[in-house]
Amino acid sequence: SSSFKYFLPIEREVRKFLCDFPAARLLFMADRFPNELKVLAPYVNFVKWSVEGEVDFIQSLDVGLMPIAEDMWSKGKCAYKSLLYAACGIPIVITPTGVNQKLLDQSDIGFGPKNPKEWYEYLSVLFSDRSLGRQLGGNGIKLIERDYSLNSCAPKIIEVLRKSY
């Protein structure tokens, strides 16, 4: 729920998308319902977060969203949600800052809207072109396997530890 505030600047564009594409659904998994999102609250399908349900929830998505602020704090954050989405083969629409931008630069896994209107545009594109979403999701799996999986990271960690001794 600490990330709900990042949806405030894009609420109207996400609502416009949901109104223009009534078959689309907005799913939130968190510790509580996002009451502070007054514009989006009527459209939210809420699922209470649990460690047991997180992967199934992510795998049920068509697109993973990760808006964040474009400030020094956010630039230093890990792109954990983006990495989870990519690992599950879900295309992403994420604020292009910090590690999120690095992920977008590494592979064609989704979109990085630079303003609220682009959130609408990218959601519309992915809703209308499901094959593009599958392609981007597949690219995400390949990226995670290549650069972020245990198999790719363990040898690097071992090398760092060996150099330390």
Side-chain angles (χ1 to χ4, degrees):
S1 61
S2 63
S3 298
F4 291 161
K5 63 187 171 199
Y6 301 129
F7 279 86
L8 289 169
I10 63 169
E11 267 192 300
R12 296 201 185 287
E13 293 300 321
V14 173
R15 182 186 64 189
K16 181 178 185 310
F17 164 76
L18 293 167
C19 290
D20 289 349
F21 297 89
R25 295 181 307 142
L26 181 62
L27 307 173
F28 273 72
M29 177 180 250
D31 59 328
R32 64 173 179 79
F33 188 85
N35 291 309
E36 61 268 45
L37 301 178
K38 304 289 186 214
V39 172
L40 287 178
Y43 301 94
V44 170
N45 292 284
F46 175 74
V47 177
K48 180 120 172 109
W49 182 87
S50 72
V51 69
E52 302 83 14
E54 185 174 38
V55 173
D56 287 338
F57 175 82
I58 293 171
Q59 289 174 333
S60 77
L61 302 175
D62 291 318
V63 177
L65 306 179
M66 187 183 168
I68 57 173
E70 294 192 50
D71 56 21
M72 291 306 291
W73 170 258
S74 297
K75 286 180 183 179
K77 288 180 66 154
C78 170
Y80 183 67
K81 281 184 194 149
S82 299
L83 290 167
L84 286 175
Y85 296 145
C88 290
I90 306 301
I92 56 177
V93 181
I94 58 178
T95 304
T97 190
V99 179
N100 275 352
Q101 182 63 59
K102 178 183 175 184
L103 290 174
L104 292 168
D105 291 343
Q106 283 181 289
S107 185
D108 191 15
I109 61 174
F111 298 105
K114 295 179 176 58
N115 59 60
K117 288 195 183 312
E118 286 186 356
W119 283 86
Y120 174 89
E121 291 169 22
Y122 294 139
L123 288 171
S124 300
V125 165
L126 288 170
F127 189 83
S128 299
D129 187 350
R130 300 302 172 97
S131 65
L132 174 61
R134 285 189 296 278
Q135 178 185 344
L136 297 173
N139 293 345
I141 291 171
K142 290 175 189 167
L143 172 66
I144 297 300
E145 289 173 347
R146 184 186 74 221
D147 294 346
Y148 296 94
S149 69
L150 181 59
N151 288 340
S152 72
C153 291
K156 297 172 192 172
I157 294 169
I158 290 169
E159 184 62 27
V160 168
L161 293 174
R162 282 189 178 140
K163 287 181 180 179
S164 299
Y165 289 105

